[in-house]
Each structure stands twice: as structure tokens, then as C-alpha cells.
Amino acid sequence: MAEFTFELNDDQKQVRDWLHGFAADVIRPAASEWDEREETPWPVIQEAAKVGIYSLDFYAQQFFDPTGLGIPVAMEELFWGDAGIALSIVGTGLAAVGVLANGTEEQIGTWIPQMYGDADDVKVAAFCSSEPDAGSDVASMRTRAVYDAAKDEWVLNGTKTWATNGGIANVHVVVAVVDPELGSKGHASFIVPPATPGLSQGQKFKKHGIRASHTAEVVLEDVRVPGHCLLGGKDKLDERLARARERARAGGERVKNAAMATFEASRPAVGAMAVGTARAAYEVALDYAKTRTQFGRPIIDNQGVAFQLADMRTRIDAARLLVWRASWMASAGKPFTSAEGSMSKLYASETAKDVTAQAVQILGGNGFTREYPVERMHRDAAIYTIFEGTSEIQRLVIARTLSGMPIR
């Protein structure tokens, strides 16, 4: 187990600086254009693939960093560049985490490379969990997967929503109900391979922020996938369902479902994204406050502005530390006994929302225009308190973990 330290090692600093350079030189100059176009920035993703950022190897290296800090450092720098474009670059990672969290070694080796493609032919992947009537309430999920034993195939039917890369993905990872009587415990995850009949894109959403990231519905109509596309395999699923039924009869402990396993693994990473956006807005506001003069002096000379900046920086650093703690704990195999993963996501998300709002306020009228990036950053920051578990859900998870009570 790696010893915890606040100091990044030389390799981590090199990766951080490399990513920062890419964010500054490639992502930021393109940010405004792709936000206005509301389209997937394929040229930027391809540039990321050419230099090795958008690749299985890069994410594997960061994911297996023994300190646990590889992924949060990477997320912070890319999202410092721009949240919408960065999400287009890293969005495939959620589907990859879904396979890593639930799949066999063979499934990991088979499907994750197909999620990324290569520098000459980049691909993306989508993780499909939320539904029109089942967002935070995963027990209300209606998408069904029925096993056809005669053909060793699973048949999927339903509609998914809010899917990053939904419909344009090469590989879709779909969470579906296999045993309705078990509620959220009766879920499983499936790979839907490229060009599988019956899968189509539904509505593409026009969003308040992260507009360079493609978000859409995914419609599944009698989608047939081979038995080996069930993540983890049928034997493992049957064993898990049997345990869940036994515990349900005994009124026993809660069993995690496939979607929640993915979200728990990714929450600190989302916190790191939020830290990146907050830091970017803070830096713009700090530079502006130093150069903008009113009544014959820079506005940072006023306590009202200076104290805001002090609070902004303090919250950003505190959020980063919570993210790093949760990431280190996960890497070291330490359980989140106090919901540390949810803590990191909650605090960093709320920090991004508040810090970007303060940045707009410091810039005044200029901050309200699209001539300055804090307007876009403020719109982008709103998503962090919503996706992969709302702030309200994070508070519920934390409260239940701390109290051991079924708080509703």
C-alpha cells in the first residue's frame, strides 16, 4: 500500500503538466466554439487520441496509480480546460469503469479497447443507467433483460435517458432489470456491441451547460445480445441473485447493484472534475480583480472582493483534499465507512457551483457575457450537483452511512 502524501511524485507532476499544456493549448481555444455548436468535438478528441490522452493505455496507467491520485489529477487538469470538451474526452471512461467494476478479465480485454478505437478512427462508449422515471430512484428502473436459454441470448427492452454519448457510441453498457421482485438488487449490466439491431438514439438534449458533450436517450427494442455480454457472467449473476433473495427473506443487509458499483467507483473522479472547473473560474476572477480598476485602484484592494477570493481558494483546496482522500482510500482498498466518496463529490460539486457564481459576480456585467469564460463555467458547473447522484442523494448516502438508519 502506497504511503499517503500531499506531494505529487515526479511522474505525476510530469503527467499533470502535460495535461495542463494540452488543456491550455488545445481545449481552451476550442471551448467557446463547441459550446455554441452543441456538438461532439471530434477533432479535439482525435487530437487527444494522437498524443495518447484519449486511449485505454493512458486511463489504465492513471487508474492503476498506486497512490490513487492519477485519475483525479488528470480530471482536474482536463476540466480546467473546459468541462464540455473534457467530458467528451473522458465520457467513455464511465462505461469503461462499468466494465472494470462488474466484468470478467476476458470482457475487460475484449470490450474496453473497442470503446476507444485508435488515433485514426476514434470511438466513444456510453453508460446507460438513468431512465425517464428512474434517475436517483434506481429501484424504479423498467428496462428489462430476459434470458433466452435456447439461444443463450439476453433480450433487452426499454428506454434510457441522460446517456453521455448515447446513440453515437460504438459500445453501450446498459443496466437492466433481470429480477423485478428484488428491486434495485435485481439489476445487471450488459454490453451492447457495435451495430446491434434494435438499439437507436432517441431525443438528443439541448442543455444548459456542458454543451460540447453529447447527451441523449437510448431506445432498446428487442435488442438481442449474446450470453457472454452479461458483465460478470451468468453464474456470478445467479449466485448474487440467490444471495439477494435469501437476504430479502431474512430481512438482511443491503446488496449493491451493478449501477451503484459503477457510481461509487467514479464519484471522486466527478469531484475532481468539479475542482477543475472551480479552479478555472477562480483564476479568471483573480486575474480580473488584479487588473480591473474602479475609483482609481484595482478592485482586489476592496475587502469585499478580496475576501470572496480567499473563500473561493480555501473551498477549492478543501474540495481537492476530500477528493484525494477518497481516491487514495479506494486505491488502498479502504472501505468508505463514512461515505467518503460521496463526501468528496458533494463538497466539490457544491464548491464548483458557488465558486463559479462568485466569479461571475466579481466580473460584474462582464461576467454575465459570453465574452468572458466564467459565464460558460457557471453554466457547466450546474451539472456536478446533478449527474452521477444529485447533491441530495449524496447527503442521503452520507447520513445513512453515519447513522445506520434508513433515512428517507
Side-chain angles (χ1 to χ4, degrees):
M1 183 175 68
E3 181 181 351
F4 182 79
T5 175
F6 291 114
E7 182 70 23
L8 298 179
N9 61 41
D10 290 342
D11 289 342
Q12 290 167 331
K13 290 177 182 177
Q14 185 176 8
V15 171
R16 178 199 62 192
D17 294 345
W18 172 51
L19 291 171
H20 186 82
F22 183 85
D25 298 338
V26 180
I27 294 178
R28 280 206 168 178
S32 178
E33 174 189 352
W34 291 100
D35 178 72
E36 293 287 346
R37 291 175 63 167
E38 299 190 55
E39 297 174 358
T40 300
W42 291 108
V44 183
I45 299 174
Q46 188 166 34
E47 285 300 311
K50 286 179 179 178
V51 300
I53 294 172
Y54 187 76
S55 71
L56 171 61
D57 288 345
F58 173 74
Y59 286 106
Q61 289 173 12
Q62 305 318 308
F63 186 83
F64 291 111
D65 180 329
T67 69
L69 300 186
I71 289 294
V73 168
M75 294 301 104
E76 180 176 338
E77 294 306 326
L78 291 173
F79 280 74
W80 172 89
D82 175 70
I85 292 178
L87 190 57
S88 287
I89 294 173
V90 309
T92 292
L94 186 58
V97 168
V99 176
L100 286 169
N102 302 297
T104 64
E105 290 187 8
E106 182 179 357
Q107 289 170 331
I108 292 169
T110 299
W111 296 111
I112 293 183
Q114 295 187 49
M115 294 179 175
Y116 289 96
D118 56 47
D120 296 322
D121 185 21
V122 294
K123 305 292 185 182
V124 295
F127 183 76
C128 307
S129 177
S130 294
E131 297 184 2
D133 296 317
S136 299
D137 182 12
V138 294
S140 297
M141 190 176 294
R142 295 180 180 176
T143 297
R144 289 294 307 277
V146 178
Y147 185 58
D148 183 344
K151 296 183 178 180
D152 186 27
E153 292 179 338
W154 289 88
V155 184
L156 279 64
N157 282 281
T159 299
K160 295 296 181 177
T161 194
W162 310 122
T164 298
N165 298 328
I168 66 170
N170 194 47
V171 176
H172 291 76
V173 177
V174 177
V175 182
V177 178
V178 294
D179 188 334
E181 294 182 359
L182 292 176
S184 62
K185 303 176 185 68
H187 296 175
S189 292
F190 299 84
I191 291 286
V192 180
T196 298
L199 184 147
S200 62
Q201 179 183 309
Q203 175 187 5
K204 177 187 175 182
F205 296 103
K206 297 180 72 67
K207 305 186 298 294
H208 175 67
I210 55 167
R211 301 197 303 193
S213 173
H214 176 96
T215 309
E217 290 182 331
V218 174
V219 180
L220 304 128
E221 298 178 307
D222 291 329
V223 173
R224 286 183 168 268
V225 300
H228 61 76
C229 287
L230 166 64
L231 290 181
K234 195 168 187 306
D235 289 344
K236 183 178 178 181
L237 172 65
D238 289 342
E239 291 174 5
R240 178 168 62 82
L241 294 178
R243 290 196 303 270
R245 294 185 189 105
E246 182 62 29
R247 285 167 178 157
R249 284 192 293 269
E253 61 191 89
R254 175 177 170 267
V255 179
K256 294 177 183 176
N257 64 69
M260 294 311 297
T262 299
F263 290 138
E264 284 187 8
S266 64
R267 277 172 180 159
V270 177
M273 298 173 189
V275 171
T277 298
R279 187 183 114 211
Y282 158 77
E283 290 176 0
V284 172
L286 177 63
D287 290 343
Y288 186 88
K290 288 179 178 179
T291 57
R292 171 69 168 172
T293 58
Q294 289 288 280
F295 305 105
R297 60 181 184 177
I299 62 173
I300 200 171
D301 281 358
N302 299 305
Q303 284 187 359
V305 173
F307 285 6
Q308 279 194 78
L309 289 162
D311 287 342
M312 291 159 73
R313 177 59 185 268
T314 300
R315 290 194 62 182
I316 291 167
D317 283 11
R320 183 185 297 109
L321 290 174
L322 284 171
V323 167
W324 282 18
R325 179 183 69 168
S327 301
W328 172 77
M329 289 179 67
S331 179
K334 293 182 176 292
F336 290 159
T337 56
S338 298
E340 288 86 352
S342 290
M343 284 184 183
S344 69
K345 199 266 186 186
L346 169 65
Y347 191 79
S349 297
E350 295 292 338
T351 293
K353 184 177 69 174
D354 294 345
V355 164
T356 55
Q358 287 176 294
V360 170
Q361 191 69 22
I362 288 171
L363 269 67
N366 286 328
F368 200 65
T369 71
R370 295 189 183 181
E371 296 299 315
Y372 288 79
V374 292
E375 178 271 340
R376 184 181 68 251
M377 294 169 184
H378 183 44
R379 286 188 286 108
D380 290 342
I383 194 59
Y384 299 126
T385 65
I386 298 172
F387 73 174
E388 294 196 49
T390 64
S391 288
E392 290 75 20
I393 289 296
Q394 305 308 321
R395 291 185 175 99
L396 186 63
V397 170
I398 295 166
R400 284 177 173 173
T401 303
L402 296 177
S403 68
M405 301 297 288
I407 297 170
R408 300 183 184 279

